[in-house]
């Protein structure tokens, strides 16, 4: 259970880095190897450098809206864990999977994928927490 | 490299089971535990029973279109591996992540997420293979 909490904390740290537009904090969160990322509507990105560059681009976008996070579900198997959660971005609701690997006792992101929920908020629990 | 090929084969088996509407083959592909699934536009599903029921529903849908698969990228770390690929479903192009765990020498699905690519086919390699 302690590792589940550590996973939730790593997930919260991801959204805090996003909210602050903090590229250095984002870089510390991602693993060195075996990294992939699918931003909403984007083709997949592979490799640490491409993924971190995408966040720097997003952080420079003045139209990027705030993300409200909610309905986190943690699934973990030893050193492999993910948080599936909802993101509210403006009027849009997205399902995000943030996948972590435990490297040297730290949970590091190896994959992020966010996809729009088209059924509307009634189909899912609304985000409860805000980062 | 042999395990990468085994992963690709497991991924191909997923799309073959889908094309055939074969619920039993689909059930054999998914792991017993720690399972999640995000169909395009759907809220996340958790647990083997909920995920397998969703495929049975999809297989009964007469409007479900064929999926053409392409641009597979394999990322693997020991007993944990994923295939990120493109799905062409009718006129829509999706990015799918199929995440496997090796259990008793077999690669079993623990997560599927498919999200629409909004930039259009020019931004990504078109599917090259067909299942």
């Amino acid at each position: 259970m302690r590792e589940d909490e550590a996973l939730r904390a790593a997930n919260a740290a991801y959204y805090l880095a996003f909210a602050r537009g903090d590229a250095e904090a984002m870089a510390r969160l991602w693993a060195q190897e075996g990294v992939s990322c699918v931003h909403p509507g984007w083709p997949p990105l592979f490799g640490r450098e491409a993924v971190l560059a995408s966040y720097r681009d997003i952080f420079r976008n003045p139209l990027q809206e705030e993300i409200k996070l909610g309905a986190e579900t943690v699934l973990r198997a030893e050193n492999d864990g993910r948080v599936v959660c909802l993101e509210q971005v403006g009027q849009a609701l997205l399902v995000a999977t943030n996948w972590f690997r435990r490297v040297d006792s730290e949970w590091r992101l190896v994959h992020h994928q966010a996809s729009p929920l088209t059924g509307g908020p009634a189909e899912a629990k609304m985000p409860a927490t805000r980062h």
Side-chain angles (χ1 to χ4, degrees), chain A residues 62-107:
Chain A
L63 301 179
Q64 175 63 44
E65 295 185 276
E66 184 187 10
I67 299 178
K68 294 178 196 171
L69 169 69
E72 300 101 316
T73 297
V74 175
L75 293 171
R76 189 173 57 81
E78 298 184 8
N79 292 324
D80 175 85
R82 62 199 187 266
V83 181
V84 181
C85 54
L86 299 185
E87 299 179 351
Q88 189 176 347
V89 187
Q91 293 301 307
L93 204 55
L94 301 151
V95 183
T97 302
N98 298 314
W99 209 294
F100 298 84
R101 186 165 296 138
R102 203 155 72 115
V103 182
D104 299 334
S105 306
E106 298 283 339
W107 289 100

Side-chain angles (χ1 to χ4, degrees), chain A residues 5-28:
Chain A
E5 287 309 306
L7 258 177
R8 282 179 194 274
N11 193 57
Y14 169 81
Y15 287 100
L16 186 63
F18 198 102
R20 292 180 172 167
D22 186 338
E24 289 185 18
M26 189 60 85
R28 284 193 297 273

Side-chain angles (χ1 to χ4, degrees), chain A residues 27-65:
Chain A
R28 284 193 297 273
L29 279 166
W30 283 84
Q32 294 295 321
E33 295 185 352
V35 156
S36 56
C37 182
V38 185
H39 295 298
W42 293 36
L45 301 173
F46 298 101
R48 178 177 166 86
E49 289 313 312
V51 170
L52 295 182
S54 75
Y55 284 101
R56 289 194 299 270
D57 287 345
I58 290 167
F59 294 162
R60 278 193 290 261
N61 177 4
L63 301 179
Q64 175 63 44
E65 295 185 276

